[in-house]
Amino acid sequence: MSENIISLKNVVKKFPVGDGFFTALKGIDLEFEKGEFAGLIGPSGSGKTTLLNIMGSLDAPTEGQALVMGKDIATLSHKQSALLRNMHIGFVFQVYNLLPVYTVFENVEFSLLLQNHTAAERKKMVMDALEWVGIENQADKKPAKLSGGEGQRVAIARAMVKRPEIVLADEPTANLDAKNAHAILKTMKQLNKELGTTFVFSTHDEKVMGYLDRIISLEDGKVVKDEVVEAQYTV
Amino acid sequence: MKLAFQLAYRNLMGAGLRTWLNVGVLSFAYVLIILLNGILDGWNEQARTDTIAWEFGQGQLRYDEYDPYDPFTILDGHAVLPAEKRDGLTPVLLRQGTIYPEGRMLSTLIKGIDANQTIITIPTAKLKESDAALPVVIGKRMAESANLKEGDEVLMRWRDKHGTYDAAKVTVAAVFDGNVSTVDNGQMWMDIEKLREITQLEQSATYYIASTDVPVKAEGWTYFSQDELLQDLTDMIEMKKYSSSIMYGMLLLIALLAIFDTQVLSIFRRQREIGTYISLGMTRWKVVTLFTFEGTMYSILATIVGSIYGIPLFIYLANTGMGMPELSQDMGVAIAERIYPVYSVGLIFSTVLLVVVSATIVSFLPARKIAKMNPVDALKGKMQ
């Protein structure tokens, strides 16, 4: 039997605007199983990133219930929420969000520092992660010295190093050229297959869609289509 | 905690020049605060030691009618202390007089003291060694103002106990070099027996200097301990410390403002980074702690940097001393020509603690804002 690791029930998200509210999500019902490679697609303002933020416990729904790893996001304290992110969720951002003063190694190591690993364990885990994304020889470089593709690989390694159950990627290829975008997506697909990590993307990039096994279309804060598809590209 | 320190250290090292500018300013504040306080402490210690050695001894028994701050009390401010009370005490009799060096007229305080005394450093033995009829010893300041030197004679006029004027030539038996201007400026020291003889004040004394700190009780006389006698000096140095602390405060304020400014700018500029920390699993308060420790780390690095150039400077000055301007010698308190700074453990620890705590507080104040940040807005860099 497949295992639901994300379950969204009638999720509504409202943001205060002036004297009123803007409703970004209007009753979203979705479930994600372990090992899925799914994408949220839709035009700007359709609610993709908001939904991703709720799934990543960076934000909470105004109404409804969002269960991630069995935990109700709305009821978690800051500390519990931080622990959930640290142990189970990896993030990949459009602009990589690498810490500029740290080396590649230190960037990837960061999540592990928040867990109680020994230095030797951390070193092995970081080098493994860098090897997965093919930049093990760049470990001592600072982010400023990396190309866009390399920067995003570091971000993926940082998201994957703690072997999370879920990786949430917000427009991960938006700043990359086609060649780098394909390379990144292949890497993520490979990790999805090998480690069984659930990947959820927010994107409107055609290239990303070609790798997805499930495409969820959002429009004006609602799910308009949710379909399992045959991935165009495989690894 | 350890992790926050590690990360703060990494962040600061990564920030490069900005970090070292703040550290430089803060370390300068450190070194200056310790140095100036060290000079005041050195001055205090030297002044106390010199004043005890040259003037106060272990204490003084003073006749009640005499007030050292009121020259009008000199005339009648003397009495005879019962003989049984005089053990371990050296008598000093004060009289007013006038000297006429090179035709000029100079008011002088004639101090009669037991020529055999060894309690204070005034070279009274020279009074015994001299063959002159009325030998006196004077300090270098008096010698300078009266243009007198060892062996010189000068006419001195005084009044005896009946108020009758008399005059005679006195001979400078020795010129002493001390740091205590209150035993020097406008004063001549002579054998008390001779002073009693020429003023007809047999057995009289204005005050007695004690060789041991054992309070003597006698009617009409009051004993002042060393601490009481040094109170004015202590008060003056304390006052000097307070006034100096305004300067330290301003200096420290500039350094702390630089840290505060850096932190405010940092929090505004590093919003994405803050959002990333939170997304990676740090709680907001851990991020607040991280940013606060970055401020604390400035003070720790400033301690290290300050030690690198401050310790050799402190050691050098403690050994060679700092020359004091000639004018300061006449300030009325004991100031040596060179002051040797004294750096107590308490001074160093309190300065380090003051700077570390202040830097931590000014870092915490802007960092508190992080606790209220929405991580999503922070990731987008949208906070205002």
Side-chain angles (χ1 to χ4, degrees), chain B residues 43 47 51 141 179-182 232-233 236 328-336:
Chain B
W43 175 26
T51 308
R141 294 169 187 80
N179 297 321
V180 186
S181 62
T182 48
D232 287 347
L233 177 69
M236 203 193 76
S328 66
Q329 312 295 313
D330 299 322
M331 275 175 63
V333 287
I335 302 180

Side-chain angles (χ1 to χ4, degrees), chain A residues 53 78 85-86 97 102 110, chain B residues 11 277-278 280 284 376 379:
Chain A
N53 288 335
H78 285 314
R85 286 192 295 272
N86 182 237
N97 283 21
Y102 295 179
F110 193 92
Chain B
N11 286 350
Y277 287 135
I278 295 171
L280 290 173
R284 281 176 240 200
V376 174
L379 277 166

Side-chain angles (χ1 to χ4, degrees), chain B residues 236-361:
Chain B
M236 203 193 76
I237 288 173
E238 281 302 309
M239 196 185 72
K240 181 79 186 152
K241 275 194 169 183
Y242 283 129
S243 59
S244 301
S245 66
I246 294 171
M247 198 185 76
Y248 310 147
M250 287 178 72
L251 196 68
L252 193 60
L253 195 69
I254 292 168
L256 293 176
L257 262 176
I259 295 177
F260 183 81
D261 205 36
T262 305
Q263 290 293 86
V264 171
L265 188 70
S266 215
I267 289 160
F268 181 75
R269 220 167 44 91
R270 292 164 65 189
Q271 286 178 48
R272 277 181 195 279
E273 190 181 324
I274 292 166
T276 306
Y277 287 135
I278 295 171
S279 73
L280 290 173
M282 281 183 105
T283 60
R284 281 176 240 200
W285 275 105
K286 271 189 181 167
V287 184
V288 172
T289 309
L290 170 62
F291 274 71
T292 304
F293 278 5
E294 282 186 22
T296 310
M297 193 64 75
Y298 281 122
S299 59
I300 292 170
L301 289 174
T303 310
I304 296 166
V305 170
S307 304
I308 291 169
Y309 68 85
I311 289 174
L313 180 72
F314 295 157
I315 292 172
Y316 172 77
L317 290 175
N319 287 323
T320 59
M322 291 181 76
M324 297 303 287
E326 209 162 297
L327 270 177
S328 66
Q329 312 295 313
D330 299 322
M331 275 175 63
V333 287
I335 302 180
E337 285 167 4
R338 298 195 80 75
I339 285 183
Y340 296 86
V342 173
Y343 316 104
S344 65
V345 176
L347 166 67
I348 292 166
F349 272 102
S350 59
T351 309
V352 169
L353 197 68
L354 171 74
V355 176
V356 170
V357 170
S358 315
T360 304
I361 292 169

Side-chain angles (χ1 to χ4, degrees), chain A residues 161-173:
Chain A
V161 70
K162 57 195 177 188
R163 309 215 177 184
E165 282 82 356
I166 305 160
V167 169
L168 303 170
D170 189 8
E171 307 275 9
T173 56

Side-chain angles (χ1 to χ4, degrees), chain A residues 15 49 53 57-59 78-80 82-83 85-86 89 91 93 95-102 106-107 109-111 113-114 122 142 158-159 162, chain B residues 3 6-8 10-15 18 270 272-286 290 371 373-376 378-380:
Chain A
F15 293 105
T49 302
N53 288 335
S57 83
L58 289 172
D59 211 345
H78 285 314
K79 199 173 176 181
Q80 289 167 324
L83 190 67
R85 286 192 295 272
N86 182 237
I89 304 169
F91 290 89
F93 302 101
V95 287
Y96 328 138
N97 283 21
L98 298 177
L99 302 168
V101 299
Y102 295 179
E106 288 165 346
N107 262 283
E109 187 192 24
F110 193 92
S111 308
L113 288 171
L114 302 174
R122 289 201 305 268
K142 289 275 176 75
R158 183 177 64 185
K162 57 195 177 188
Chain B
L3 176 65
Q6 279 176 347
L7 297 176
R10 276 187 193 177
N11 286 350
L12 256 56
M13 289 296 109
R18 184 161 45 91
R270 292 164 65 189
R272 277 181 195 279
E273 190 181 324
I274 292 166
T276 306
Y277 287 135
I278 295 171
S279 73
L280 290 173
M282 281 183 105
T283 60
R284 281 176 240 200
W285 275 105
K286 271 189 181 167
L290 170 62
M373 269 189 186
N374 179 333
V376 174
L379 277 166
K380 290 176 187 166

